[in-house]
Amino acid sequence: MYNIIFVGAPGAGKGTQASTVAQKLNLVHISSGDLFRQALAQGTELGKQVKAYLEKGVLVPDRITIQMVMERLSAPDAEKGIILDGFPRNLPQAEALESALAQQGKAIDKVVYIEVAEAELLSRLSNRRLCRRCQAVYNMVNSPPSIEGKCDKCGGELYQRPDDEPETVKKRLDVYFAETAPLIAYYRRQGKLVEVAGEGGVAEVTRRIVSALREEKLVTR
Ligand code: AP5
Ligand code: MG
């Protein structure tokens, strides 16, 4: 049972890699961004509260985000271990997570930092498409679906995230460098950081992550 965080800039491949690695290691993939987008799509009270923040590309207030993630973490399936993608995103969130896990006698085992150069991030985000139904991630250049506009996994309709517009991407990158990047040094100081080069094919990056976790003795197979 392991608790792992994936950290990296917008477009680094957190969602793509977290979903594959979670399957391989039998962990639950929890993405704060996916949870917000689901709430938006369902028009729930949470969705209404967070809409403007997502559209602007700024962080949702900690109070809302922490409560949502903690609720998800308390679901029974999270007992088998988790990969957190997109959370924590600043120091207060990291501290809230730490104390919530500590109360259950748990801790974060490793933090995988996926590193990608800025020009590559911009190109990936402008070509990204998502499945409306199952949130699977595609790229029109690197990993297009077999049938245009349709999800290979569930047949759902593919769409472009509104926050992948160039202006909003720029804002999200600024927010990342100002508020989230300091977590890298924070987890390095704790001896938990595992740095992985995020460029190259998707399968290649997956291999790097799994082998880095193996070196850290988190993966034995
Ligand atoms: P969130 O959904 O978390 O977005 P993000 O951090 O900006 O990250 P992305 O999802 O854009 O990138 P990713 O790293 O997952 O890349 P992906 O795998 O898709 O957050 C959205 C918003 O929600 C925030 O702006 C904020 O408002 C709110 N929010 C979320 N969490 C919050 C929190 N904790 N606190 C406060 N607010 C929060 O890949 C990108 C593209 O690249 C895809 O097209 C993919 O196919 C392609 N690709 C992936 N890997 C490769 C590869 N190796 N080679 C080539 N292409 C690749
Ligand atoms: Mg993502």
Side-chain angles (χ1 to χ4, degrees), residues 19 43 62 74 112 151:
S19 124
D62 288 342
S74 64
V112 175
C151 177

Side-chain angles (χ1 to χ4, degrees), residues 11 14-16 32 37 58 86 89 93 128 138 142 172 200:
K14 301 181 296 295
T16 305
S32 47
R37 281 183 291 277
V58 299
R89 250 212 202 23
Q93 291 183 12
R128 171 165 61 187
Y138 295 86
N142 309 315
R172 284 161 57 210

Side-chain angles (χ1 to χ4, degrees), residues 11 13-16 29 31 33-34 37 85-86 128 137 161 172:
K14 301 181 296 295
T16 305
H29 172 199
S31 156
D34 284 353
R37 281 183 291 277
D85 148 19
R128 171 165 61 187
V137 182
R161 270 172 51 177
R172 284 161 57 210

Side-chain angles (χ1 to χ4, degrees), residues 1-208:
M1 202 280 270
Y2 294 113
N3 301 309
I4 303 172
I5 294 170
F6 279 16
V7 68
K14 301 181 296 295
T16 305
Q17 295 299 336
S19 124
T20 313
V21 174
Q23 263 179 10
K24 274 186 193 291
L25 307 186
N26 193 29
L27 301 171
V28 180
H29 172 199
I30 299 177
S31 156
S32 47
D34 284 353
L35 292 172
F36 285 136
R37 281 183 291 277
Q38 263 161 24
L40 257 179
Q42 291 164 357
T44 62
E45 196 47 46
L46 173 67
K48 286 177 198 145
Q49 281 175 8
V50 304
K51 187 170 187 283
Y53 300 103
L54 268 80
E55 279 173 0
K56 287 194 200 114
V58 299
L59 295 187
V60 172
D62 288 342
R63 180 182 49 79
I64 300 175
T65 306
I66 291 169
Q67 191 189 343
M68 174 188 74
V69 176
M70 293 312 150
E71 265 173 34
R72 179 63 189 89
L73 283 177
S74 64
D77 64 346
E79 279 299 318
K80 67 177 181 177
I82 49 170
I83 297 186
L84 282 169
D85 148 19
F87 182 93
R89 250 212 202 23
N90 58 24
L91 210 51
Q93 291 183 12
E95 287 167 352
L97 174 66
E98 233 160 82
S99 63
L101 290 176
Q103 277 175 17
Q104 305 168 30
K106 298 179 190 163
I108 289 299
D109 298 290
K110 288 289 160 194
V111 178
V112 175
Y113 167 38
I114 308 177
E115 207 176 350
V116 172
E118 197 167 328
E120 170 72 9
L121 297 172
L122 298 177
S123 135
R124 287 184 186 183
L125 291 174
S126 63
N127 293 301
R128 171 165 61 187
R129 298 292 183 277
L130 246 76
C131 174
R132 245 185 232 293
R133 202 183 291 159
C134 75
Q135 315 244 20
V137 182
Y138 295 86
N139 191 283
M140 299 316 283
V141 178
N142 309 315
S143 52
S146 314
I147 302 169
E148 202 187 323
K150 273 206 170 195
C151 177
D152 290 348
K153 295 183 180 146
C154 76
E157 180 206 357
L158 301 189
Y159 78 107
Q160 185 164 23
R161 270 172 51 177
D163 62 347
D164 279 346
E165 291 294 324
E167 272 310 296
T168 320
V169 164
K170 195 174 165 298
K171 180 72 198 168
R172 284 161 57 210
L173 280 170
D174 289 347
V175 168
Y176 169 77
F177 288 115
E179 302 188 42
T180 307
L183 287 182
I184 294 164
Y186 175 78
Y187 286 118
R188 189 181 285 128
R189 278 197 299 275
Q190 294 189 0
K192 293 186 175 174
L193 198 74
V194 178
E195 298 182 54
V196 174
E199 291 181 39
V202 170
E204 172 61 31
V205 177
T206 305
R207 275 194 291 276
R208 278 184 213 141

